[in-house]
Structures are given as structure tokens and as C-alpha cells.
Amino acid sequence: MNAGKTDMSASGGGGNRWWGDDEPTTQGRKFDVLVPLDLRLGSEVEMAQLVADSCARKYGEFIFADGNFWVFIETMWHRVPEQAMRRIVHRFDGAVVGKAKVKIKSSTVTGVIKECIAVSAEPEFFESPAIGLNARNTVVTIDGKGKISTHRHRPDDRHRFTIEADYKPDADGYPTRDTLLDTLLTGSFMGDDDAAQKIDLIGEILGAAAYGMATHLPQPKAFIFHGETANNGKSQIAALVEKLLPPTAVSHIPLSAFGDEKRIVNLAGKAANVVEELSGQTIAGENFKAAVTGQPIEGRDLYKSAMTFYPRALHLCTTNVLPNFSGGIDRGLQRRLVVLQFNRTIPDDEIITDIADRIGETEMDLLIAFAVEGAKRLVGARAYTIPESSRIALNEWLLKDPVNAWLDEKFEIDRDYVVIWRSVKELFQLFQAWCNSDGIPAKYMPSRENFSIRLFRVPGIQKRRISSGSEVCCLKDRR
């Protein structure tokens, strides 16, 4: 590592003197560093090197990545607050260089910190952290054959959060009867034909978030917990993600804010993004697709330079209503969505107030074990358990975007199939006939202009203008 491998000694008149700083970082840890004040030049570069070397000497490594300084303390990498860095630089105020004293101005502090970034930068440091559940007492990993192993916490795993509970190998990986976790899961899905599959999926969602593997699967998914009635359990089950993970690992960025570079940057380093807001327009956005699949995203903190990061968060939305897609939805993104149905209204006499909070307080060992078992299934199958009711719900939802549903049923898209060119007018008439025969309500049917726009957005379809309008090709009739 850049700063961690250097050992620049402080020399000069007066002997070595050391100052400390004490500042909270994430999860209550303290950041304290001794910095030598003996300067030879008094330049910003010299002070920056002394700060970086002192931090590396104290913590083993000191790096700058994803817009922040980081040090490894005990179980994980911790962000160093900007005010802590500035206060360390303040210590140089009045230091002697020859016969003169250094005067530290605000611009000097900023300049030293900029030079600290230069000597400590590791922009790709957190790009590929180890896949593992970072518990308080150990790191839990799963190999390709499903074998669970543990090892001590180590900097090279590059974990940025620790689950604040111990992993217990003997804990049951499936919730046992009469536990609060079992009560919540079975009560929410009681009477559903695919209840067992739904419970398995919940475990896999927890496992994907805790292990940091959500964007590393062949088919990453975003999850929508849908239930139209009150007291159906979806909010409490969604809250399990936040009970399992520490607050620093969970964001609540509305999908409507994904286009805001100052908001989207807060996804960096997060294991899950849990929100209660949903709209067809935001789901269809490019940034949402990039976040779900782990593609690089550019953002910036306020008053900081732009940075590119690789999102790893699992995305979970809860909603009472599945929205319409006013402008259609990308066919590739359709495959990324999973709708989990909550059909049952839990009777008042079965409701346990704040049950998710109580699980987090008293059954964390069971919640961790449930997540580990879910992650084990994910590693083995390389895919989530998708309940049949989720497939049906997604298909019905996509009918609110009938253009894609019609294309899927009637055509194969073949880039090399340029034999037949069809007019948009002809295709719109075929589409209208299909909608009428399938009984699709008029409110879901786009105008001809909107139909044309959605058609041209479909990857693989070629278009051209002619005197009578527009034509497309690469649509091969399904036999």
C-alpha cells in the first residue's frame, strides 16, 4: 500500500515531539494518531507525508479510496472523519522550521490533506472485497462446495462493516418453531402454497446482503415486497435486513434520487439499500440498473471531487401498489426484478409489536445462522429461489408495459434478420389487436407515438425512415 510501506523519519533540531488526535470513526471506534512536529522544510508535501506515515505506523495501513481516508481497526476498515484529519494538521501550527514558526491557515490544512490523498490513494482498493460474513467474533466464508469455514479478521478482506453479534456454528440455519423469527416468517406467509420457497428467498436475501455477494451473482436481482393490505408482515421482514446489518452498511436512498450524484454516492460501501418508495419511471432508469448489476457509478460528495465506485448493495423496496411504466422498461432489467407477494393480513391477536426489533435484540444468532444458510444455497445454486407466485406477479406487473409483453410473445429479436421491414403503423395495428384479444385494459395501452418510442428503445431492433413513416426490422415471427 502507498503510505503503509513507507517509514519517513522526522529529523531536525529540538528532537522528536509527538501530538495525538482523538476522533470517533464509524461504529464508535476512536481514531488517534501521534504526529512528529520536527519539520525540515515546512511544506505541505512534507507535512502530508508525516501524517500519512504516522497513520500507517499506528494502524498498519492508511489509504484513500471512495472519497475517504481509511484505517483498519480490529475487525474492519473504518472511515477517518475529515475533521479528524484537519485537526491533525492543526498540530503543525507553531512548529519550528529553522528559526521560523509554521503558521497553519485553512488553505494550508486543505492543501496538506490534498497531498495526503496523493500519497495514500488506492482508488480500486474496495473494488473486490472478499465474499464473507464479517461477524464480531470471526469471518464466515463458504466455498464452492458449500463448506462453511471461519477465519480471523484481516485487512486484506477489505470489509467495511461488522455485524455486531457473534457467529455461532451450532445455531440452527432454519428458524425453529416458537422463535420470534419463525413466528414472523410463517405468520406472514401462512396459507401460501409456496410459503417454504418464500422463506428460503428471505434467507437468501439476508445472506446476499451480509456476504456482499448481491452484485456478484450471474443474475443479480432487486426485490420488491408487495402487499396491498395492512399488517401483512412485509415491513417487518424488510426490517430484518437492518437488524442483521449495522447502520453504516444500510442506506435509504429513494430510487427517485438515483440520478442525483450527491445522493447516489452514498451507496458506496453499503450492503443494502432499503426504501419504501417505488415508481415505474425510477425503476426504468439507467442508474438503477447499474446499481443492481454492480456496474461503476459516478458520484460526488458535497464539496468533493467526482469519484467512480462499484456498488455492492442489495436493493429492496416495499410497496402497497405496483406502479405503471409510463415509458416502458428495459427488457434486460425485467430479468432483474423479483416481486415477493405478501397476501395475508395478520390478525390482531397474532401481531407482536416491533417483532423485528425484538429479533434483533434477542435472536441475532438465529438471524445470522438463517443468513448463512441462505448464502450457502446461493453459492450452490448461483441463483435465488424464485417462488412461482413471484413469477406470476412479475408477469402480471409487466403487462402494465404491454409493448414488451407483446414483443416477447410474438417475436424473436435477431440482429441478423434483416429480410423483412415492417412499418410502425402495421406493427401498431397488430399490437392493438393483441391487446384487445388479451383483454388488456385501455389505460395500459400506449398511443401510437408512445408505442413507436418504446419500440425503438428495444435493443437489437433496427429502424429507418421512409417517405410514408418509419420501418423496423430484426423481428422474426415466433412459430
Side-chain angles (χ1 to χ4, degrees):
M1 301 303 157
N2 289 343
K5 301 305 182 185
T6 62
D7 186 17
M8 176 178 162
S9 61
S11 61
N16 290 341
R17 293 174 294 152
W18 299 88
W19 292 89
D21 201 6
D22 190 26
E23 193 70 29
T25 62
T26 55
Q27 292 188 315
R29 300 294 188 264
K30 295 290 184 179
F31 177 72
D32 53 17
V33 176
L34 297 174
V35 181
L37 295 184
D38 294 315
L39 302 174
R40 291 180 300 220
L41 303 173
S43 68
E44 292 177 356
V45 172
E46 181 185 21
M47 287 185 278
Q49 191 68 66
L50 287 171
V51 171
D53 288 344
S54 299
C55 292
R57 185 181 299 111
K58 169 74 175 182
Y59 293 104
E61 291 182 78
F62 174 72
I63 62 107
F64 183 87
D66 283 2
N68 290 287
F69 292 100
W70 300 85
V71 293
F72 186 84
I73 305 175
E74 296 180 2
T75 64
M76 55 176 271
W77 286 87
H78 291 259
R79 181 182 64 84
V80 180
E82 182 176 350
Q83 64 267 29
M85 292 295 297
R86 297 188 72 87
R87 289 175 185 172
I88 291 174
V89 181
H90 291 173
R91 303 298 188 183
F92 290 110
D93 192 39
V96 177
V97 179
K99 296 182 179 180
K101 289 187 176 181
V102 174
K103 294 183 179 180
I104 299 294
K105 301 177 181 178
S106 179
S107 58
T108 307
V109 177
T110 300
V112 172
I113 290 176
K114 284 185 176 180
E115 296 309 317
C116 274
I117 292 174
V119 300
S120 308
E122 296 276 353
E124 298 179 355
F125 188 80
F126 292 116
E127 184 176 322
S128 299
I131 302 297
L133 185 147
N134 196 34
R136 187 169 55 194
N137 62 331
T138 191
V139 178
V140 188
T141 60
I142 304 170
D143 66 18
K145 296 181 180 179
K147 181 182 177 182
I148 297 174
S149 303
T150 62
H151 64 254
R152 62 178 178 79
H153 302 100
R154 56 196 186 195
D156 285 346
D157 285 340
R158 305 189 180 187
H159 293 144
R160 283 187 274 185
F161 67 89
T162 302
I163 294 175
E164 289 300 315
D166 291 345
Y167 168 67
K168 298 181 180 179
D170 56 348
D172 197 326
Y174 203 84
T176 54
R177 190 171 182 179
D178 296 329
T179 60
L180 290 172
L181 183 56
D182 177 70
T183 298
L184 175 58
L185 294 170
T186 57
S188 298
F189 301 123
M190 186 180 296
D192 292 349
D193 292 337
D194 53 2
Q197 288 182 309
K198 289 182 174 182
I199 292 173
D200 281 349
L201 178 58
I202 297 298
E204 291 159 11
I205 290 172
L206 292 169
Y211 273 80
M213 66 170 73
T215 59
H216 288 265
L217 295 167
Q219 291 291 328
K221 303 288 187 181
F223 299 92
I224 298 160
F225 287 6
H226 174 235
E228 297 179 354
T229 64
N231 297 329
N232 52 37
K234 68 177 183 294
S235 295
Q236 291 297 307
I237 289 182
L240 292 179
V241 175
E242 299 183 70
K243 301 308 168 186
L244 177 64
L245 302 173
T248 55
V250 183
S251 59
H252 303 279
I253 304 171
L255 304 190
S256 58
F258 272 36
D260 184 343
E261 63 179 8
K262 295 180 179 63
R263 298 287 300 277
I264 195 69
V265 73
N266 291 312
L267 273 181
K270 297 297 188 290
N273 187 53
V274 182
V275 296
E276 296 181 356
E277 169 263 358
L278 190 65
S279 75
Q281 182 178 2
T282 53
I283 284 182
E286 285 300 314
N287 271 1
F288 178 70
K289 182 178 179 181
V292 171
T293 57
Q295 299 302 307
I297 293 177
E298 185 174 280
R300 75 172 69 229
D301 269 328
L302 195 62
Y303 308 123
K304 291 186 178 180
S305 300
M307 70 174 197
T308 299
F309 67 95
Y310 287 82
R312 304 181 74 226
L314 178 140
H315 294 271
L316 172 58
C317 307
T318 62
T319 185
N320 296 329
V321 179
L322 294 172
N324 296 335
F325 296 108
S326 58
I329 183 171
D330 181 85
R331 290 155 65 88
L333 185 55
Q334 291 178 22
R335 299 192 299 271
R336 309 298 186 196
L337 300 176
V338 177
V339 179
L340 186 60
Q341 291 288 92
F342 288 77
N343 302 314
R344 183 180 186 239
T345 298
I346 300 172
D348 289 345
D349 60 353
E350 292 183 25
I351 293 176
I352 299 176
T353 304
D354 298 326
I355 188 171
D357 288 339
R358 295 177 61 180
I359 291 170
E361 292 167 359
T362 64
E363 296 183 352
M364 275 296 288
D365 57 335
L366 301 180
L367 192 58
I368 290 175
F370 185 46
V372 170
E373 191 65 25
K376 183 178 177 180
R377 283 193 302 275
L378 274 179
V379 169
R382 303 293 292 160
Y384 293 97
T385 299
I386 307 298
E388 183 59 27
S389 61
S390 292
R391 302 181 193 278
I392 294 171
L394 180 61
N395 288 335
E396 290 178 350
W397 185 23
L398 292 177
L399 281 176
K400 294 182 180 181
D401 177 24
V403 175
N404 273 310
W406 169 70
L407 285 171
D408 280 337
E409 181 176 321
K410 294 296 184 181
F411 301 101
E412 295 179 21
I413 296 177
D414 185 345
R415 295 176 185 271
D416 298 324
Y417 187 72
V418 293
V419 178
I420 300 176
W421 287 82
R422 304 171 187 262
S423 70
V424 172
K425 179 180 179 180
E426 173 198 350
L427 290 171
F428 184 63
Q429 291 172 344
L430 292 173
F431 168 71
Q432 285 182 310
W434 177 83
C435 288
N436 291 332
S437 65
D438 272 33
I440 294 176
K443 64 181 179 179
Y444 295 145
M445 295 174 58
S447 65
R448 175 175 166 178
E449 180 181 3
N450 189 268
F451 170 84
S452 177
I453 292 172
R454 295 193 196 187
L455 193 64
F456 293 159
R457 286 178 179 170
V458 176
I461 291 180
Q462 295 185 36
K463 63 179 180 179
R464 68 183 180 188
R465 295 283 301 175
I466 57 175
S467 59
S468 58
S470 298
E471 290 185 332
V472 299
C473 71
C474 303
L475 291 175
K476 182 185 294 186
D477 291 322
R478 290 190 185 276
R479 303 300 182 186

